[in-house]
Structures are given as C-alpha cells and as structure tokens.
Amino acid sequence: MSTHVSPELLFRDSLRMLLEKNTSAWVDLWAADGIMEFPFAPEGWPQRLEGREAIAAYIRDYPDHIDLHDIPDLLIHQTSDPRTIVVEMRAVGRLVETDKPFEMKYIAVVSVEDGRITSYRDYWNPLAVLEPGVAFAGQMR
C-alpha cells in the first residue's frame, strides 16, 4: 500500500470494503499496532481494541449481523493534523437476525500513518445495541 495515501482516500476505501463485506481487506488497512476505541460503548461491549488481530476479531462477524447497504450521508472534515480526519456519516442496511431496517449515525476520528489506519475513535449511539439482532463484534454480555 502506498504510504502517500490520504486519510480521506483510505477511509473511503475502508467504507467500500465494508459495503462489499470484505472484512479481511478492511483489516489489512490497519497498522499492526492500530487502536480502535468506542468512547460511548455500553457496559459489556469493548471500549478499546489494541492491535490488528483484536480489530480483526471484532469485525469478523459484522456481516453476519448487520447487512450494510449504503453510506448515504458522508462528510469528511480535514483537521490541523494532515494525518487525522473527522468523519460524520450515516449507515443504512438491515439486521440479519430480525430482517429489520438498520440505521446508525456515526462520528469518527481517524488517524493514518504510512498508509495505514493507526487510530479510529468511533462515536456511535449505544442505545442502538438494545435492538435485537445487533449483538456482534465481541459483545461480552
């Protein structure tokens, strides 16, 4: 992977991979020591994942629970640090277990170095995990 890829392009590629349900390619975008954080995660859900392997284990079963169809709203903000972007987005799809519609709004702070994601702070709505069929990705309850 080119070490000159911008955080925005890398992030857009990551969304394409998630929509294609190609979680292994998505994981390959991460630095070996990358960190993924969920500051609003409820009790019983992971708040911090350290390393590509932990992130891979977290995301591996995502497509079995959430059938992501589209990211219809995407806004990427540049920051004073050229390695970091702030992303506002909305994802839509369906919950596989219940066949109910899925919709989630996110704000993410993503940092990239040497063409790899090094940090991803995912600010998502913790109330959404109360819906049947959302449980996945390392839920500990």
Side-chain angles (χ1 to χ4, degrees):
M1 172 171 295
S2 169
T3 59
H4 301 292
V5 65
S6 74
E8 180 175 353
L9 288 177
L10 190 68
F11 188 80
R12 287 180 185 278
D13 278 348
S14 78
L15 292 180
R16 179 183 50 79
M17 291 169 188
L18 287 176
L19 288 167
E20 293 171 353
K21 297 163 185 44
N22 190 347
T23 57
S24 62
W26 186 85
V27 168
D28 287 343
L29 298 176
W30 282 81
D33 60 350
I35 295 172
M36 189 168 201
E37 297 176 284
F38 307 95
F40 297 150
E43 186 176 329
W45 285 71
Q47 293 190 332
R48 183 179 171 98
L49 304 168
E50 296 185 23
R52 186 185 299 138
E53 294 307 315
I55 293 164
Y58 175 84
I59 200 72
R60 181 176 297 122
D61 295 331
Y62 182 89
D64 296 334
H65 298 274
I66 298 175
D67 180 14
L68 196 58
H69 295 167
D70 195 11
I71 311 288
D73 301 320
L74 177 64
L75 186 56
I76 299 176
H77 304 275
Q78 303 301 317
T79 69
S80 59
D81 181 346
R83 300 169 298 178
T84 301
I85 56 175
V86 175
V87 179
E88 298 177 70
M89 63 183 168
R90 181 172 64 96
V92 297
R94 74 177 179 87
L95 298 173
V96 173
E97 181 181 312
T98 64
D99 204 36
K100 287 185 176 180
F102 170 81
E103 180 176 350
M104 178 83 75
K105 292 180 181 179
Y106 303 85
I107 292 180
V109 180
V110 181
S111 296
V112 172
E113 289 186 37
D114 298 325
R116 303 274 184 206
I117 299 169
T118 57
S119 175
Y120 191 123
R121 284 191 311 277
D122 194 350
Y123 296 88
W124 53 276
N125 179 1
L127 298 176
V129 299
L130 301 176
E131 288 289 319
V134 178
F136 77 98
Q139 180 189 13
M140 296 181 246
R141 284 195 262 174

